[in-house]
Amino acid sequence: PFLPRVNPSLGAITLAISALVATLVIACPCALGLATPTALMVGSGMGAENGVLIRRGEAIQTLKDVNTIVFDKTGTITKGRPEVTDIVPAEGHTRKEVLRLAASVESGSEHPLGEAILRRAKEENLELYRAEEFEAVTGRGVKARIGLSPRRLVLVGNRKLMMEEGIEYKPIEEDLRRLEGEAKTVMLLASDGRIAGIVAVADTLKEDSVQAIRELEGMGLKTTMLTGDNRRTAEAIAKKIGVSRVLAEVLPDEKVEEIQRLQEGGEVVAMVGDGINDAPALTAANVGIAIGTGTDIAIESADVTLVRGDLSSVVTAVKLSRKTFAKIKQNLFWAFFYNTVALPAAMLGLAHPVIAEIAMA
Ligand code: ADP
Ligand code: MG
């Protein structure tokens, strides 16, 4: 008497449907129970074959609802191995001295920009000065004291660093803008409180970045580039690859806030990144996607890892998620359809047990 049961005062049709549903559930329709997990298993297996490793199961589900994909620039859209392209000395300095000073300061740096400068100095067989009191200023650049006595404070970094240190860089502003317009990342060099020159580097795009962005846009997704690089450089690169939105001059610890702002605006966000500074943003995003060639901490923070470093894998991941869900719906439909038809048929003695066995399989 305490168990809820089908109320006999219901209409005949309602009563019949209630009884049918109860029978279907009790009869343990395996097909219904298997519809979702098998699709998910096959989906993630196919992902793995195609270089898309799903580390958290929900990701495959959330990814189909994503409407914005945010890409980190360096190491994600680009190869992350910048090369020095231009060295412009300020008045009273030589090209060689600019490179030598910059490389001496960067000798303590692990940033790809610093490595580019060091590689170039090595190629030109320059002997470096000894650097002391090295300091990396997040999102801005580096500084160190150079030479014997008197030791000079030398800075290498962006406008923000120069402004904070009170360095006047007007004399080279024109060169700076020109190089940034060419999609190059430009670093200013200051020695003893005065501007000494600039060093420009360029990073090559990954071969399939343009194609992948175009496909994602074609699938109705809004693509966004997120970078600490300056606005003019970022926009020049964005134009080359066709992303529809650029968030530039974002400090590493602000990347998370940018993701959260997009989410507050109602967007469902996937973030693709490779660096240590992307890790918090990868966690904050609805789906975090790490480039497999990136840092371990990025991979640890992400839901999905792309084994190959290319952006086409992002397209694969989104398609995989959408197809897996279409398959789940299809499975559920057929499972329910089969049980609804076959169970009553069997009860009416219309199916021989052998036929039932075959139908079940
Ligand atoms: P991202 O990896 O998104 O390009 P970062 O936060 O690493 O951005 O760097 C942002 C900016 O800070 C760089 O574009 C550069 O101007 C400056 N910067 C950072 N590290 C260095 C460095 N070692 N030498 C010179 N400039 C640097
Ligand atoms: Mg990066």
Side-chain angles (χ1 to χ4, degrees):
F2 301 111
L3 293 175
R5 47 188 230 106
V6 180
N7 185 344
S9 65
L10 289 173
I13 303 272
T14 323
L15 195 63
I17 292 177
S18 294
L20 171 68
V21 171
T23 310
L24 278 173
V25 172
I26 289 171
C28 179
C30 304
L32 268 180
L34 287 171
T36 306
T38 41
L40 285 176
M41 243 166 60
V42 172
S44 40
M46 283 170 73
E49 274 169 35
N50 289 288
V52 177
L53 300 184
I54 293 150
R55 303 182 64 238
R56 281 203 318 138
E58 297 112 277
I60 200 166
Q61 181 165 356
T62 322
L63 202 50
K64 73 174 194 310
D65 302 322
V66 157
N67 50 24
T68 294
I69 303 205
V70 178
F71 294 92
D72 157 61
K73 174 173 76 73
T74 315
T76 301
I77 289 175
T78 68
K79 287 186 177 160
R81 204 179 140 85
E83 307 263 358
V84 173
T85 53
D86 306 76
I87 300 166
V88 185
E91 216 174 289
H93 296 266
T94 65
R95 184 191 162 283
K96 209 168 202 159
E97 188 64 7
V98 168
L99 180 58
R100 192 173 174 193
L101 275 176
S104 305
V105 178
E106 297 281 9
S107 61
S109 164
E110 283 170 1
H111 198 282
L113 291 174
E115 285 169 6
I117 293 179
L118 281 167
R119 230 179 300 130
R120 182 56 170 266
K122 204 167 173 191
E123 280 162 22
E124 300 196 9
N125 293 316
L126 296 180
E127 203 175 308
L128 303 187
Y129 297 109
R130 234 179 65 172
E132 277 169 23
E133 296 172 43
F134 172 84
E135 192 187 329
V137 193
T138 323
R140 293 169 176 78
V142 287
K143 49 182 164 182
R145 292 198 176 272
I146 296 287
L148 296 168
S149 63
R151 293 190 306 173
R152 289 179 282 171
L153 178 64
V154 181
L155 314 166
V156 186
N158 51 24
R159 286 187 181 80
K160 243 180 240 157
L161 181 69
M162 297 301 143
M163 279 184 315
E164 282 168 8
E165 299 281 339
I167 312 280
E168 180 61 65
Y169 56 86
K170 269 264 156 52
I172 45 97
E173 178 86 43
E174 212 184 295
D175 285 303
L176 190 58
R177 284 168 183 256
R178 171 178 57 85
L179 294 166
E180 284 170 350
E182 295 170 10
K184 291 167 183 165
T185 300
V186 190
M187 288 165 280
L188 300 120
L189 171 76
S191 167
D192 251 351
R194 302 168 72 111
I195 193 79
I198 52 185
V199 180
V201 305
D203 196 354
T204 32
L205 298 177
K206 289 182 184 166
E207 280 82 12
D208 66 340
S209 289
V210 176
Q211 174 66 22
I213 299 285
R214 191 180 309 140
E215 277 188 52
L216 290 169
E217 287 278 338
M219 289 161 75
L221 296 162
K222 188 171 178 127
T223 55
T224 300
M225 186 171 89
L226 181 63
T227 177
D229 214 341
N230 88 92
R231 182 159 309 281
R232 203 169 292 113
T233 309
E235 265 161 16
I237 293 175
K239 219 165 118 189
K240 275 194 194 175
I241 60 157
V243 286
S244 53
R245 180 167 52 189
V246 183
L247 303 171
E249 292 174 29
V250 181
L251 294 177
D253 49 346
E254 291 170 354
K255 284 190 172 179
V256 180
E257 290 160 40
E258 291 292 343
I259 299 287
Q260 284 162 347
R261 195 164 309 142
L262 295 177
Q263 288 169 328
E264 277 157 24
E267 296 178 42
V268 182
V269 183
M271 161 88 196
V272 190
D274 71 312
I276 297 175
N277 57 359
D278 299 319
L282 289 171
T283 310
N286 299 78
V287 182
I289 303 177
I291 300 286
T293 49
T295 55
D296 289 346
I297 185 156
I299 293 171
E300 277 303 312
S301 313
D303 308 304
V304 177
T305 305
L306 308 177
V307 178
R308 291 189 295 273
D310 55 13
L311 293 194
S312 312
S313 301
V314 178
V315 181
T316 310
V318 176
K319 280 188 182 161
L320 186 75
S321 163
R322 291 184 179 181
K323 288 224 171 102
T324 303
F325 268 78
K327 191 48 91 182
I328 287 177
K329 277 191 203 153
Q330 201 188 71
N331 283 354
L332 284 173
F333 169 77
W334 284 112
F336 198 74
F337 181 81
Y338 156 76
N339 281 291
T340 312
V341 173
L343 263 175
M347 285 164 73
L348 292 173
L350 297 177
H352 188 276
V354 173
I355 303 293
E357 183 65 39
I358 295 169
M360 183 64 208

